[in-house]
């Protein structure tokens, strides 16, 4: 039931702090991440030399955030591959490979086929899934459930932040097991602070972002730029807009701008830019700020998602959406919320059904 919300999507976005909190619960012990479902399965992480993350759609973008975190904390090579590409291209995999699948429903046929294929080739398999007892976890050697609760709206929101949360937990767990994790306690503190920060973003930016969407109801194209873990968030922001607002949208790695996409910039073109915190890397931050200058000089209408207190973006931004300070790998969970709200508000302004977008199904159970 919608419980007074205008749509399931609105309800599910509002449930994000809870989805993240429930996914963390029971998985922190004495200041370290210990995932009980993985007890006795250390070999899954020590007996391998690479990880392949496979998924479709929104789940694959969560996977990309997971790649950055896993490589950083667990010092193991990670690739992310769309399930339908992975399954049909004769990949090099075997007993030294852990294939991590991500699926809200646990029934997506493309992802299921990739998992089965990996198992047949001797790879180990772990699934991240939101639906207890679904087919993909049953076909996997191990499962880490996200506890987002049932997601009804076709466009994934709370499941996405729960998937990133589960991947961060997995990264910290694997990093600990492999002995490569430094300062795990600080990351655990970051994790535990997330739900309150999510609630803060929902409270402080909802009205502002909805207003922006109202102004932009006639927009025909929106671009999204991000760098580092902001890159998958740019991809997800664009996907949300395509899915429910039927507006052409594209996400780019900000560094790619000069290699092509900047040709798209003409006066009035709306561009969202996810700005990473300067506290994590002054260099990455400076590069993104310089991208903002470049597109602004060509007339783009720049909407920036930046950390509270980041004043460097102010001279070049038409709109600034603020997110609270958070660790580098924790920022994407906060930065995606305004983009979800934007897509939802724009679809609403266009009079569209945000829960049941045309041509899409919640779970695609055919290949
Ligand atoms: C698509 C849905 O068909 O499947 C997306 O419309 C979703 O929202 C994707 O991200 C993957 O679904 P699942 O259930 O495997 O996470």
């Amino acid at each position: 039931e919608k419980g007074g919300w205008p749509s399931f999507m609105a309800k599910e976005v509002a449930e994000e702090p809870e989805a993240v909190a429930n996914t963390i619960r029971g998985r922190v012990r004495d200041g370290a991440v210990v995932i009980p479902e993985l007890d006795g399965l250390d070999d899954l992480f020590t007996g391998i030399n690479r990880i392949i993350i496979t998924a479709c759609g929104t789940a694959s973008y969560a996977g990309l955030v997971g790649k950055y975190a896993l490589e950083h904390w667990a010092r193991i090579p990670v690739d992310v591959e769309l399930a339908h590409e992975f399954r049909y291209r004769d990949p090099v995999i075997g007993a030294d490979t852990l294939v991590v699948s991500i699926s809200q429903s646990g029934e997506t046929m493309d992802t299921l086929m990739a998992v089965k294929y990996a198992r047949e080739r001797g790879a180990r398999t772990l699934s991240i899934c939101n639906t207890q007892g679904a087919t993909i976890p049953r076909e996997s050697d191990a499962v880490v459930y996200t506890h987002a609760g049932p997601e009804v709206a076709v466009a994934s929101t709370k499941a996405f932040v729960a998937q990133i949360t589960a991947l961060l937990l997995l990264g910290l767990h694997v990093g600990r097991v492999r002995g490569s994790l430094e300062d795990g306690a600080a990351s655990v503190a970051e994790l535990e602070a997330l739900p309150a920060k999510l609630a803060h973003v929902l409270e402080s930016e909802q009205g502002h972002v909805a207003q922006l969407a109202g102004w932009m109801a006639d927009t025909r194209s929106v671009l999204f730029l991000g760098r580092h873990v902001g890159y998958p968030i740019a991809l997800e922001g664009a996907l949300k807009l395509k899915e429910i607002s039927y507006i052409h949208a594209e996400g780019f790695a900000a560094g790619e701008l000069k290699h092509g996409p900047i040709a798209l910039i003409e006066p009035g073109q709306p561009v969202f830019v996810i700005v990473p915190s300067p506290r994590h890397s002054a260099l990455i931050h400076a590069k993104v700020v310089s991208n903002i200058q470049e597109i602004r000089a060509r007339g783009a209408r720049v909407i920036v998602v930046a950390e509270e207190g980041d004043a460097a973006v102010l001279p070049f931004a038409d709109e600034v959406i603020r997110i609270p300070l958070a660790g580098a790998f924790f920022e994407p969970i906060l930065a995606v919320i305004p983009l979800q709200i934007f897509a939802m508000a724009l679809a609403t302004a266009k009079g569209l059904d945000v829960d049941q977008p045309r041509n899409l199904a919640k779970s695609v159970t055919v290949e």
Side-chain angles (χ1 to χ4, degrees):
E1 255 316 293
K2 280 188 248 181
W5 293 95
S7 62
F8 279 106
M9 189 174 176
K11 174 176 179 273
E12 288 159 7
V13 167
E15 288 169 349
E16 291 188 44
E18 205 184 321
V20 169
N22 289 344
T23 299
I24 298 168
R25 184 162 306 123
R27 289 161 170 178
V28 173
R29 206 185 293 161
D30 301 327
V33 169
V34 181
I35 302 178
E37 294 101 307
L38 303 179
D39 267 358
L41 295 176
D42 282 4
D43 179 59
L44 218 48
F45 311 115
T46 52
I48 54 161
N49 56 31
R50 65 192 288 231
I51 293 175
I52 297 175
I53 297 177
T54 192
C56 301
T58 289
S60 75
Y61 300 147
L64 211 44
V65 177
K67 168 192 164 93
Y68 285 44
L70 267 155
E71 288 209 348
H72 179 75
W73 287 327
R75 304 312 300 158
I76 184 162
V78 182
D79 288 314
V80 181
E81 198 159 343
L82 294 168
H84 33 89
E85 286 296 321
F86 172 68
R87 164 70 182 82
Y88 288 97
R89 68 166 182 84
D90 192 21
V92 179
I93 49 167
D96 59 353
T97 314
L98 172 66
V99 172
V100 175
S101 64
I102 310 168
S103 175
Q104 188 285 129
S105 61
E107 303 295 344
T108 298
M109 187 58 77
D110 285 321
T111 309
L112 174 62
M113 295 308 282
V115 171
K116 284 188 169 172
Y117 177 86
R119 279 190 78 173
E120 281 160 15
R121 296 292 164 109
R124 338 269 182 110
T125 54
L126 180 152
S127 66
I128 292 176
C129 182
N130 196 47
T131 312
Q132 294 280 333
T135 310
I136 293 172
R138 280 194 276 116
E139 291 287 335
S140 306
D141 298 322
V143 54
V144 175
Y145 281 107
T146 48
H147 296 292
E151 191 178 65
V152 176
V154 167
S156 184
T157 54
K158 64 174 181 173
F160 178 68
V161 293
Q163 283 160 353
I164 297 179
T165 304
L167 285 156
L168 298 179
L169 286 163
L170 184 67
L172 293 166
H173 182 99
V174 178
R176 179 179 53 73
V177 168
R178 289 175 64 91
S180 54
L181 186 66
E182 289 164 18
D183 205 10
S187 294
V188 167
E190 287 280 355
L191 265 177
E192 291 184 321
L194 271 175
K197 291 180 187 177
L198 279 158
H200 176 78
V201 178
L202 284 171
E203 201 176 311
S204 60
E205 289 292 353
Q206 188 125 26
H208 175 207
V209 174
Q211 192 180 43
L212 260 178
W215 293 335
M216 291 166 67
D218 295 328
T219 300
R220 297 190 49 200
S221 156
V222 181
L223 305 180
F224 294 80
L225 295 179
R227 194 166 178 129
H228 193 254
V229 284
Y231 166 45
I233 297 308
L235 297 175
E236 174 62 4
L239 180 61
K240 284 284 92 67
L241 212 52
K242 290 179 231 186
E243 285 181 312
I244 63 167
S245 323
Y246 318 148
I247 289 176
H248 170 256
E250 271 192 80
F252 301 107
E256 274 293 286
L257 198 59
K258 60 183 171 301
H259 301 294
I262 198 161
L264 290 169
I265 306 294
E266 54 184 38
Q269 169 69 53
V271 186
F272 277 79
V273 185
I274 322 301
V275 183
S277 165
R279 296 172 303 115
H280 308 321
S281 163
L283 192 61
I284 294 179
H285 176 261
K287 285 187 183 298
V288 174
V289 172
S290 125
N291 291 140
I292 296 174
Q293 283 174 267
E294 286 157 7
I295 56 172
R296 190 65 178 320
R298 289 162 179 80
R301 180 162 179 209
V302 182
I303 304 138
V304 150
V305 179
E307 177 178 88
E308 278 158 13
D310 180 356
V313 296
L314 290 175
F316 320 108
D318 294 283
E319 296 286 340
V320 181
I321 297 165
R322 292 296 188 185
I323 57 171
L325 279 60
F329 297 106
F330 304 87
E331 267 180 356
I333 293 184
L334 303 172
V336 77
I337 297 181
L339 308 188
Q340 295 169 340
I341 296 171
F342 179 75
M344 190 165 59
L346 199 62
T348 305
K350 290 179 72 175
L352 301 172
D353 179 346
V354 301
D355 289 338
Q356 293 288 342
R358 68 184 181 199
N359 309 339
L360 295 176
K362 181 67 183 158
S363 169
V364 181
T365 53
V366 291
E367 265 193 278

